[in-house]
Amino acid sequence: QVQLVESGGGLVQAGGSLRLSCAASGWPFSSYTMGWFRQAPGKEREFVAAIGMTGTSTYYTDSVKGRFTISRDNAKNTVYLQMNSLKPEDPAVYYCAAAYRPKRYSNHDEYDFWGSGTQVTVSS
């Protein structure tokens, strides 16, 4: 059945890097736009990055442009989020999600499948 499993979260120092992975199974991965969202305590879930079906189109929220990179490997049914130069405002639970041809890639309501999240903590 449909599954999205995130991994790669953990504790990192400010300025450091983490690579998150999200492995998908049970559905046609290559037919979906993939996205990463994050949610910090007391805050709303926010869009981080998205990548189109073939991996040629990527989208980022302004606060992570130049620091984060989203990619996908359709042969492995996996999407990645490379996070560099992590800042104190980046800690949150990060979620991967899948959307079938979303009209707005940043709208979490348009995503059909969600992982359970992985915690990212940044120390200063």
Side-chain angles (χ1 to χ4, degrees), residues 8-23:
L11 175 65
V12 65
Q13 293 182 329
S17 299
L18 283 175
R19 189 192 193 197
L20 305 183
S21 299
C22 178

Side-chain angles (χ1 to χ4, degrees), residues 26-116:
W27 50 283
F29 178 81
S30 62
S31 297
Y32 284 74
T33 293
M34 298 298 299
W36 286 96
F37 293 78
R38 66 186 181 186
Q39 187 167 23
K43 298 182 179 179
E44 296 182 346
R45 186 169 298 185
E46 67 172 343
F47 169 75
V48 177
I51 187 166
M53 294 180 291
T54 64
T56 58
S57 299
T58 57
Y59 315 90
Y60 300 92
T61 191
D62 287 343
S63 64
V64 307
K65 288 181 179 177
R67 300 189 298 120
F68 291 9
T69 302
I70 188 171
S71 62
R72 68 190 295 164
D73 186 340
N74 286 348
K76 297 181 178 180
N77 288 354
T78 302
V79 62
Y80 306 93
L81 185 68
Q82 178 67 47
M83 304 184 294
N84 298 328
S85 301
L86 284 161
K87 299 179 178 180
E89 61 265 34
D90 293 324
V93 176
Y94 283 71
Y95 300 89
C96 66
Y100 183 72
R101 298 180 179 179
K103 295 181 180 179
R104 293 181 60 193
Y105 53 82
S106 61
N107 183 4
H108 68 267
D109 289 336
E110 297 190 50
Y111 285 75
D112 303 295
F113 308 129
W114 290 84
S116 59

